[in-house]
Amino acid sequence: MISRVVREPVGVCALIAPWNYPLLQMSWKLAPALAAGCTVVAKPSEVTPLSTITLIRVLEQAGLPPGVVNLVPGEGPVVGSALTGTPEVDLISFTGGAATGAAIAARAAPHITRVALELGGKNPHIVFADANRASAVDAVLTGAFLHSGQVCSAGTRLIVEESIADGFVAELARRAGGIRVGPGTEPASQTGPLVSPEHRAAVETHVARGLAEGAVLVAGGKRPEDPRLAAGSYYLPTVLDRCRRDMRIVQEETFGPVLTVERFATEAEAVELGNDTSYGLAAGVRTGDAARGERVVRALRHGTVWLNDFGPYTPAAEWGGFGRSGIGRELGPSGLAEYQEIKHIWHNTAPAVGGWFT
């Protein structure tokens, strides 16, 4: 007897990418799908489609057979709905917001279509008093304000030990106020605009709601005053201190350059705050105590946890989250497995009469 397990292509895959990191996100889906032997229909965001269109052209020029990779640009409610509501698709891989992910899962459910959902995050960055102060401030700024916070893994919740909080927040506010905002075409710019005026308006609404709930504004909270930036969707890096876990600005994804600050007194409280979210994509922990660092990273329910760092990832390690941050993983061995079906083959090498009913 020979018993073996083989992996086969899942089939036709609908790959739906977001407007942020459009080339990177589509590549994370295309590479394992093609490596597994699948055919795909790629749908880039209607806001940022050009890099995916160019990528598909490059694949065609490289000799990819016709029909293996198919491109269908268009608006989500039209093209996305068609791709996610048909039994002819075997797997849907989507990266984007939690509400859209839930709608896709509902559309796929009647056909029992497999889904891989990489959704949003409300990611805590926990700083203990014994952490290297300069490194921690720098990492919190980068984690929160890189690409104007338009990153699913942005460290939007600073959770800092009470004994150092006042000085830490003051330094953060000072540094945030010095971030150079401007167009990406200017070398001096350190962070750019939001994706659209509508998105900036949504961020402004989030901040106004946070202030109404009792948050204290210590940096930003408005559009730049530079008249050269008036035509763009710019919003200053913003720090809101004295936040509470029950505030919507703490619980809901803003997807903009907004950092909230919460405080803790004990390790157990830090872990409790870090896990007090319906999301679970990423988290950071900063401490000079190696044993405590290991305890806290193991206690946090997030798909990626950085210890004394924030933001890096490697293609060799899985990416994805707990809770409302999604289902399934990208990158790593699990990212490839998303595009494979597992088949068990039992081979009787010496068939004979069983005699069960004699």
Side-chain angles (χ1 to χ4, degrees):
M1 302 294 181
I2 300 174
S3 175
R4 55 197 171 104
V5 174
V6 298
R7 294 180 178 270
E8 298 180 348
V10 71
V12 178
C13 303
L15 311 181
I16 305 175
W19 51 259
N20 67 320
Y21 292 100
L23 179 59
L24 176 75
Q25 297 283 5
M26 187 59 78
S27 298
W28 281 14
K29 301 177 187 300
L30 267 173
L34 294 178
C38 299
T39 58
V40 306
V41 180
K43 185 222 168 296
S45 167
E46 60 269 33
V47 178
T48 53
L50 297 183
S51 60
T52 297
I53 293 172
T54 301
L55 175 61
I56 302 305
R57 287 174 176 166
V58 169
L59 290 174
E60 291 177 343
Q61 293 169 2
L64 204 67
V68 173
V69 175
N70 306 276
L71 175 68
V72 184
E75 296 184 352
V78 179
V79 176
S81 294
L83 288 175
T84 57
T86 173
E88 296 180 3
V89 167
D90 300 293
L91 168 72
I92 301 163
S93 178
F94 168 78
T95 299
T100 303
I104 287 174
R107 288 186 61 80
H111 307 296
I112 320 297
T113 304
R114 286 173 56 172
V115 294
L117 305 174
E118 202 275 276
L119 307 178
K122 195 68 178 177
N123 312 294
H125 199 163
I126 299 172
V127 178
F128 286 91
D130 62 356
N132 180 285
R133 187 73 58 89
S135 172
V137 169
D138 181 72
V140 170
L141 285 167
T142 304
F145 301 128
L146 185 70
H147 303 315
S148 290
Q150 298 169 116
V151 185
C152 60
S153 58
T156 54
R157 291 178 64 198
L158 170 61
I159 300 174
V160 60
E161 191 163 353
E162 181 68 50
S163 62
I164 64 166
D166 287 344
F168 196 92
V169 172
E171 179 64 8
L172 267 181
R174 184 188 71 80
R175 293 276 302 276
I179 293 174
R180 295 188 296 274
V181 178
T185 52
E186 294 185 2
S189 298
Q190 294 177 312
T191 193
L194 297 177
V195 71
S196 68
E198 293 78 14
H199 186 53
R200 179 177 61 183
V203 171
E204 290 173 327
T205 297
H206 271 251
V207 172
R209 186 183 296 126
L211 294 174
E213 290 177 326
V216 177
L217 180 68
V218 295
K222 61 182 180 179
R223 303 177 185 186
E225 296 177 356
D226 187 341
R228 296 183 307 114
L229 305 180
S233 300
Y234 294 95
Y235 194 75
L236 291 176
T238 297
V239 180
L240 298 176
D241 195 8
R242 300 293 176 177
C243 294
R244 305 182 311 273
R245 65 173 75 183
D246 62 320
M247 292 177 173
R248 291 179 64 181
I249 193 71
V250 171
Q251 293 295 331
E252 297 179 4
E253 188 177 33
T254 303
F255 221 68
V258 180
L259 176 69
T260 62
V261 182
E262 303 161 78
R263 302 169 184 228
F264 70 90
T266 67
E267 179 182 317
E269 185 182 4
V271 171
E272 182 181 2
L273 287 170
N275 284 335
D276 186 21
T277 173
S278 60
Y279 295 98
L281 183 58
V285 178
R286 305 195 74 86
T287 178
D289 184 331
R292 175 165 58 193
E294 182 63 20
R295 288 194 305 270
V296 175
V297 299
R298 293 300 301 269
L300 290 171
R301 290 186 53 78
H302 296 267
T304 293
V305 184
W306 295 288
L307 180 56
N308 291 331
D309 209 333
F310 200 97
Y313 54 84
T314 169
E318 285 80 355
W319 179 260
F322 295 14
R324 284 173 56 82
S325 288
I327 300 171
R329 292 294 185 268
E330 294 189 302
L331 305 180
S334 300
L336 176 62
E338 293 287 349
Y339 296 89
Q340 297 173 320
E341 289 281 14
I342 298 175
K343 178 184 289 184
H344 173 222
I345 300 174
W346 176 276
H347 180 189
N348 187 338
T349 56
V353 175
W356 186 271
F357 290 110
T358 59

